[in-house]
């Protein structure tokens, strides 16, 4: 899975063909031992969890980069 961004200890990854589970465009975020999948459309958490402050950073990152995603 290619890494597309790293910031504040968060790694953002994108599977190009990963539409089996969610049927939505989404990204995967990893922070330390935590992992979560986020919808690109609205930033909601689809599965998993990461600490709330890091979740907010990922959601802000999605908002900024939505067009390019």
């Amino acid at each position: 899975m290619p890494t597309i961004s790293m910031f504040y200890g968060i790694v953002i990854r994108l599977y190009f063909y990963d539409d089996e589970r969610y049927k939505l465009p989404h990204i995967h975020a990893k922070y330390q031992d935590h992992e979560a999948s986020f919808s690109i459309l609205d930033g909601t958490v689809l599965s998993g969890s990461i600490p709330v402050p890091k979740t907010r950073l990922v959601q802000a990152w999605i908002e900024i980069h939505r067009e390019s995603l």
Side-chain angles (χ1 to χ4, degrees):
M1 169 169 37
T3 299
I4 58 173
S5 186
M6 290 187 286
F7 55 95
Y8 297 106
I10 302 167
V11 177
I12 304 293
R13 295 187 172 135
L14 180 69
Y15 284 117
F16 188 71
Y17 291 109
D18 184 23
D19 62 353
E20 293 290 318
R21 284 190 282 176
Y22 307 117
K23 305 293 185 203
L24 292 169
H26 64 280
I27 61 164
H28 299 263
K30 181 172 176 142
Y31 176 71
Q32 295 178 349
D33 293 332
H34 307 279
E35 293 187 47
S37 297
F38 291 82
S39 168
I40 292 172
L41 302 176
D42 59 7
T44 58
V45 178
L46 300 173
S47 70
S49 67
I50 59 176
V52 173
K54 302 303 180 184
T55 296
R56 291 187 182 135
L57 284 172
V58 172
Q59 290 168 331
W61 184 90
I62 291 170
E63 183 69 29
I64 293 167
H65 295 92
R66 185 170 287 125
E67 274 189 45
S68 60
L69 291 170

